[in-house]
C-alpha cells in the first residue's frame, strides 16, 4: 500500500457523542457528530441510554461523514475507533462496529486512546505544537498536565485527585439549576457578568488538582444565601457563573504556571472539552504573553469530543504500523 495515500475512517463513541471522521493523508475531509439530547433531563449521562443512542446514530453519522468527504467505503485503508477510556457500553458499540467494518472491507484496525487523541488534535491544523510541550487536558472525566516529548511519549506530572474540571463546571451548573452539560452555559452566562463572589481556594500540593472543596464551598454559599433570599440564584445567576468559572480557571492556571516553571517548558497546549471555555482560553493567552509562552489552543470543533482527533491519532499510528487484530476489546479506563 502506498504511504502517499492513506484514507482512514475513525469512530468516537466513548461518552454521549457519536462521531465519525474521514482523514486522507493527514488532512481531515469530514468531521461529523451527533449529540444525545436524551441525557439533559437526567442531569448527567445515563450509560444505558448512551449505548442505545450510539446504536441508532452510528450508521447515519457514518453515511454523512462519507458523503461529505466524497469517499467510498472501498477507498478506505483502515478503520479506527476509541478503545478507552469511557463508558464501556458506549465504547463497545463503536468498537464492535469498527471491527465488523474492518473485517468486511478486509482492511486493518487501529485502536485509539481518547485522552491521547485530545492532545493529538493539535496536529490537525496550524500552528502545531513544538516538542517538548506541556498539555493541560481538561474534560468531563479527566484533568491532567502531561509533558509530551513526541507523538506517542508522554508523562503525566499532575492530575486531579477527585473531580475533573468539566465535572466541577457541570456540578456547579446543576446547583444553579442549569441543564446538563452545564459547562458551556456557565461560560455563556458569565460573558455579560463580573466576578462578585469568592469561594474556598483549593489548597493541594505539587501539580495536582482538587475541585471537591470548591464544589462544597459553592454549595454552602448558595444554601446560606438562599436562606436570606430564596430568589438569590435566579437574581444572581450570571455573576454566580462568572464567579465559579473564575475559581475553576484560576486553579487550573495556577498549577499550569507552576508546571511550566518546574519543567522550564514554555510550549503550552490546551486540550479536552473544557478548553472550549472562553475564560480559560483568555487566561492562557494573557498569562502566556507575560511568561513568554508559545500557546496552542485547538479550534472549538476539535476541543469537545469529536472523531477528527481519533482520525488524526490513527493517521500517526498507521505511519507507525500500530494495528490491532479483531480480538481487541474496549476498556473503561
Ligand atoms: O472532552 P469532552 O467533550 O468529553 C469528555 O471526554 O469528558 O468534555 C466535556 C466537558 C463537559 O464537562 C462540559 O461541560 C465541558 O467539557 N465543557 C465546557 C465548555 N464546553 C464544554 N466547560 C466549560 N466551558 C465550556 N465552554
Ligand atoms: Zn473527551
Amino acid at each position: 500500500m502506498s504511504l502517499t495515500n492513506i484514507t482512514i475512517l475513525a469512530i468516537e463513541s466513548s461518552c454521549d457523542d457519536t462521531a465519525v471522521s474521514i482523514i486522507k493523508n493527514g488532512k481531515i475531509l469530514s468531521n461529523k457528530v451527533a449529540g444525545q439530547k436524551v441525557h439533559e433531563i437526567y442531569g448527567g449521562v445515563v450509560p444505558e441510554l448512551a449505548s442505545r443512542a450510539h446504536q441508532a446514530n452510528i450508521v447515519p453519522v457514518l453515511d454523512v461523514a462519507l458523503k461529505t468527504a466524497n469517499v467510498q467505503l472501498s477507498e478506505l485503508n483502515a478503520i479506527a475507533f476509541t478503545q478507552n477510556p469511557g463508558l464501556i457500553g458506549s465504547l463497545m458499540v463503536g468498537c464492535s462496529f469498527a471491527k465488523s467494518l474492518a473485517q468486511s472491507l478486509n482492511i486493518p484496525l487501529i485502536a485509539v486512546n481518547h485522552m491521547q487523541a485530545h492532545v493529538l488534535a493539535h496536529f490537525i491544523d496550524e500552528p502545531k505544537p513544538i516538542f517538548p510541550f506541556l498539555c493541560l487536558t481538561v474534560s468531563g472525566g479527566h484533568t491532567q498536565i502531561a509533558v509530551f516529548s513526541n507523538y506517542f511519549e508522554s508523562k503525566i506530572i499532575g492530575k486531579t485527585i477527585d473531580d475533573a474540571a468539566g465535572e466541577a463546571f457541570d456540578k456547579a451548573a446543576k446547583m444553579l439549576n442549569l441543564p446538563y452539560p452545564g459547562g458551556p452555559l456557565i461560560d455563556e452566562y458569565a460573558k455579560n457578568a463580573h466576578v462578585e463572589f469568592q469561594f474556598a481556594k483549593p489548597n493541594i500540593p505539587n501539580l495536582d488538582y482538587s475541585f471537591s472543596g470548591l464544589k462544597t464551598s459553592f454549595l454552602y454559599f448558595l444554601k446560606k444565601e438562599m436562606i436570606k433570599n430564596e430568589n438569590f440564584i435566579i437574581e444572581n445567576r450570571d455573576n454566580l457563573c462568572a464567579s465559579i468559572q473564575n475559581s475553576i480557571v484560576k486553579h487550573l492556571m495556577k498549577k499550569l504556571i507552576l508546571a511550566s516553571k518546574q519543567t522550564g517548558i514554555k510550549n503550552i497546549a490546551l486540550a479536552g472539552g473544557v478548553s472550549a471555555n472562553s475564560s480559560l482560553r483568555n487566561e492562557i493567552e494573557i498569562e502566556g504573553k507575560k511568561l513568554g509562552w508559545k500557546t496552542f489552543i485547538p479550534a472549538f470543533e476539535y476541543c469537545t469530543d469529536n472523531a477528527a482527533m481519533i482520525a488524526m491519532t490513527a493517521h500517526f499510528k498507521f505511519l507507525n504500523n500500530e494495528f490491532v487484530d479483531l480480538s481487541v476489546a474496549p476498556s473503561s479506563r
Side-chain angles (χ1 to χ4, degrees):
M1 192 183 305
S2 158
L3 282 186
T4 54
N5 200 5
I6 309 167
T7 308
I8 305 171
L9 181 145
I11 298 165
E12 151 64 32
S13 70
S14 64
C15 191
D16 60 342
D17 290 305
T18 319
V20 178
S21 173
I22 317 281
I23 189 167
K24 185 171 185 177
N25 300 330
K27 190 171 171 287
I28 299 293
L29 297 185
S30 65
N31 178 33
K32 296 293 166 187
V33 52
Q36 302 180 356
K37 289 256 176 244
V38 62
H39 308 287
E40 249 172 40
I41 54 165
Y42 297 98
V45 177
V46 184
E48 168 79 19
L49 296 179
S51 311
R52 286 170 191 240
H54 283 307
Q55 194 72 47
N57 291 343
I58 198 155
V59 173
V61 177
L62 180 120
D63 280 344
V64 180
L66 283 168
K67 279 203 186 88
T68 307
N70 197 19
V71 164
Q72 309 288 319
L73 282 175
S74 58
E75 293 171 59
L76 298 176
N77 303 113
I79 305 294
F81 68 98
T82 305
Q83 183 185 18
N84 52 24
L87 300 171
I88 194 67
S90 292
L91 290 166
M92 276 164 72
V93 176
C95 174
S96 304
F97 193 90
K99 282 195 210 180
S100 315
L101 198 54
Q103 192 177 31
S104 68
L105 297 170
N106 196 24
I107 53 175
L109 192 60
I110 300 171
V112 172
N113 174 279
H114 182 91
M115 297 304 292
Q116 185 182 31
H118 265 304
V119 179
L120 295 185
H122 283 96
F123 294 89
I124 295 173
D125 285 334
E126 299 292 341
K128 297 180 170 121
I130 305 146
F131 296 108
F133 65 88
L134 285 183
C135 189
L136 170 65
T137 307
V138 269
S139 73
H142 294 82
T143 298
Q144 65 185 41
I145 303 175
V147 181
F148 278 77
S149 35
N150 63 51
Y151 294 117
F152 298 110
E153 247 177 80
S154 67
K155 184 170 178 251
I156 297 171
I157 55 172
K159 59 180 186 321
T160 181
I161 59 159
D162 42 56
D163 290 349
E167 227 178 329
F169 268 108
D170 297 338
K171 285 180 179 170
K174 200 174 175 183
M175 292 177 208
L176 298 175
N177 303 316
L178 302 176
Y180 177 87
L185 289 172
I186 290 191
D187 191 359
E188 192 186 321
Y189 296 144
K191 279 189 182 130
N192 303 314
H194 67 275
V195 178
E196 185 179 345
F197 313 107
Q198 297 291 337
F199 315 107
K201 285 193 177 63
N203 184 15
I204 170 134
N206 309 322
L207 297 172
D208 288 335
Y209 288 107
S210 167
F211 292 97
S212 69
L214 177 60
K215 179 182 68 187
T216 311
S217 162
F218 188 56
L219 178 67
Y220 285 165
F221 171 79
L222 292 176
K223 278 192 173 161
K224 200 179 84 205
E225 294 299 326
M226 291 288 278
I227 293 170
K228 292 187 249 168
N229 170 12
E230 62 180 9
N231 292 323
F232 181 76
I233 291 180
I234 300 169
E235 288 168 8
N236 294 280
R237 185 194 67 184
D238 294 0
N239 282 358
L240 282 166
C241 286
S243 304
I244 190 68
Q245 172 172 276
N246 175 65
S247 295
I248 296 171
V249 169
K250 284 272 149 58
H251 185 40
L252 289 172
M253 288 303 300
K254 189 178 160 194
K255 298 301 176 104
L256 186 58
I257 292 168
L258 189 60
S260 170
K261 285 194 175 137
Q262 283 185 4
T263 58
I265 298 173
K266 294 192 172 198
N267 295 320
I268 310 287
L270 194 57
V274 181
S275 58
N277 183 266
S278 38
S279 168
L280 180 60
R281 293 167 88 96
N282 210 16
E283 285 285 319
I284 285 226
E285 289 304 339
I286 293 169
E287 288 297 327
K289 272 206 183 90
K290 281 192 224 157
L291 297 164
W293 287 356
K294 233 180 168 28
T295 54
F296 303 92
I297 307 177
F300 276 108
E301 64 175 314
Y302 304 135
C303 287
T304 46
D305 285 352
N306 66 88
M309 67 186 196
I310 307 298
M312 192 69 242
T313 308
H315 178 77
F316 292 127
K317 287 196 153 196
F318 192 108
L319 295 176
N320 226 17
N321 264 310
E322 279 189 51
F323 301 106
V324 289
D325 64 36
L326 292 172
S327 66
V328 68
S331 62
S332 56
R333 299 178 64 106

